[in-house]
Amino acid sequence: MKLRIKDNTLRLRFNQNERELLEKDRVIIGKTHFSPTAELIYQIKETKTSISVTFESNIITVFLPKEKVDELIETDLVTVHEVVTLEGGKTLDVTVEKDFQCLVIRSGEDDTHSFPNPLAK
């Protein structure tokens, strides 16, 4: 899974293999290791409530309602987007989307399991 953070925006992109995990386990987990004892975990998790985000103990969790998870799994829906209001009135722009294969090959990028790009000829 890919994680992108810029200011108060958070974007998670998942590939076809991760889609299968989401379908089976109702969660996708990614990790970035900074040292043997420090890592950042980011995950998409199904919930029964609305879209929300938590950050606790170095774990970013984006909660998606079951209906949205099902729609991402079962349909051509590409993106789920929500502006989440945080405590204190600030907002976080949250996007969860399918990761498409790049149209231009980039060195070091492996998008073997990404979704086929609809713009590819």
Side-chain angles (χ1 to χ4, degrees):
M1 183 165 42
K2 294 179 183 175
L3 170 66
R4 182 175 176 190
I5 298 174
K6 182 179 185 303
D7 300 327
N8 267 39
T9 64
L10 178 69
R11 177 176 296 193
L12 293 113
R13 291 183 176 166
F14 63 93
N15 65 31
Q16 293 184 80
N17 290 350
E18 292 159 337
R19 179 207 159 277
E20 291 174 12
L21 289 173
L22 187 59
E23 182 175 27
K24 179 179 170 251
D25 301 331
R26 310 315 272 191
V27 64
I28 306 170
I29 300 171
K31 295 180 182 181
T32 301
H33 299 271
F34 292 94
S35 74
T37 59
E39 66 183 5
L40 173 65
I41 297 172
Y42 42 99
Q43 58 188 357
I44 301 168
K45 224 177 201 184
E46 183 181 290
T47 186
K48 294 179 182 172
T49 61
S50 60
I51 295 174
S52 62
V53 179
T54 60
F55 179 62
E56 298 171 351
S57 303
N58 294 334
I59 302 172
I60 299 170
T61 304
V62 175
F63 293 96
L64 292 180
K66 180 186 183 320
E67 300 78 34
K68 289 296 180 188
V69 171
D70 289 342
E71 201 173 359
L72 282 168
I73 291 168
E74 299 168 3
T75 72
D76 290 335
L77 179 71
V78 173
T79 302
V80 173
H81 174 259
E82 184 85 22
V83 177
V84 177
T85 301
L86 308 171
E87 287 184 36
K90 293 190 183 225
T91 59
L92 181 64
D93 193 307
V94 180
T95 304
V96 175
E97 60 191 359
K98 293 174 180 168
D99 188 30
F100 291 117
Q101 294 171 342
C102 294
L103 294 175
V104 177
I105 297 173
R106 291 187 241 168
S107 178
E109 287 277 328
D110 178 13
D111 61 1
T112 306
H113 301 290
S114 296
F115 291 88
N117 194 313
L119 299 177
K121 295 181 182 184

